[in-house]
Amino acid sequence: MSKKLIWPLLFLGLVLASWRTYMPGDLNDDVCYVGLACSLSLGHAYQSEWDVGAPAHLRFPPGFPLLLAPFQWVAPGNYVLCRAVVVVCACWVMLLLESYAGWIGIAVLVGVNAYWLNNSSSILSEQPFLVALLIYLKAAERPLTPRRSLFLGLGLGLVCSFRTVGIALIPATLLYHWRKRQLDWKLFLLGVALSAGPLLGRSLLTGYDGE
């Protein structure tokens, strides 16, 4: 067995051991995410199936419900499948974090933050967001051509589709590449506008900053 898989498997064991500390509905947001995923899986508008007549949902970005939608199409209302998606994302986060913090750093992170384990099997967008964020950061560290600059901007929109706090990556990316002068900032911002523009524009128009 690869050494890289040992720690994620140990982490998976801890997550499964704490599985019963959370039940769907404990957090309210989790039910909203499943409701939105059900609506999308049925080809309906972006609104909760359990909130009949409500306008399009404004609070949650669509990335996480879109990720859950295929599983809700296969097994409508199945919370176990939704939780399994989050658990897979949480283990993926462990693998991605290893290159930044090392396994000792990860062990400290999990050891001092009991909420991390609970959150790793809760139907919330944090773990999928972290997967998208860490993949984006790895891509941003690579040498950038004009084409890659455009794709990096498009990727930032994917990050924001899970949690709009990802908008902070715009100035962070520009500053990181300021001295390297590898980033084609015009193509990068074009990619951001194409992918994240509608989502961020909606937040500005509604006065709500999202999740």
Side-chain angles (χ1 to χ4, degrees):
M1 181 185 294
S2 172
K3 290 183 179 179
K4 284 194 172 183
L5 293 178
I6 294 176
W7 284 98
L9 288 175
L10 288 174
F11 176 75
L12 175 61
L14 290 173
V15 171
L16 294 179
S18 64
W19 183 271
R20 287 187 172 275
T21 62
Y22 155 82
M23 292 297 292
D26 287 350
L27 304 170
N28 186 50
D29 288 358
D30 49 5
V31 176
C32 290
Y33 279 125
V34 175
L36 291 169
C38 284
S39 181
L40 292 174
S41 71
L42 294 171
H44 297 170
Y46 189 60
Q47 60 190 48
S48 175
E49 284 295 293
W50 304 318
D51 197 4
V52 179
H57 215 283
L58 297 176
R59 182 176 182 187
F60 300 117
F64 187 40
L66 279 170
L67 178 64
L68 297 178
F71 301 95
Q72 286 302 299
W73 182 77
V74 171
N78 189 304
Y79 289 103
V80 175
L81 273 179
C82 294
R83 295 183 71 181
V85 171
V86 177
V87 171
V88 170
C89 288
C91 292
W92 195 355
V93 168
M94 292 294 104
L95 285 170
L96 293 170
L97 275 178
E98 189 270 338
S99 62
Y100 291 103
W103 295 119
I104 294 178
I106 292 174
V108 171
L109 172 65
V110 176
V112 301
N113 186 2
Y115 176 71
W116 187 283
L117 285 177
N118 184 265
N119 179 267
S120 296
S121 65
S122 303
I123 308 174
L124 297 173
S125 63
E126 279 87 345
Q127 299 299 334
F129 168 75
L130 286 173
V131 170
L133 173 64
L134 291 168
I135 291 175
Y136 175 89
L137 292 176
K138 285 186 176 292
E141 292 174 352
R142 298 175 60 188
L144 294 176
T145 62
R147 183 180 178 181
R148 285 181 178 174
S149 297
L150 175 62
F151 284 130
L152 191 66
L154 294 171
L156 190 145
L158 176 63
V159 178
C160 289
S161 74
F162 287 101
R163 297 185 74 86
T164 51
V165 69
I167 192 176
L169 291 170
I170 298 176
T173 303
L174 292 172
L175 287 172
Y176 179 78
H177 286 283
W178 180 260
R179 291 186 177 180
K180 294 186 176 183
R181 299 187 181 279
Q182 293 178 341
L183 180 70
D184 187 323
W185 64 270
K186 293 181 181 179
L187 286 175
F188 170 70
L189 292 178
L190 174 61
V192 172
L194 290 174
S195 59
L199 175 64
L200 300 177
R202 182 197 69 168
S203 296
L204 291 173
L205 289 173
T206 59
Y208 191 84
D209 59 359
E211 285 289 315

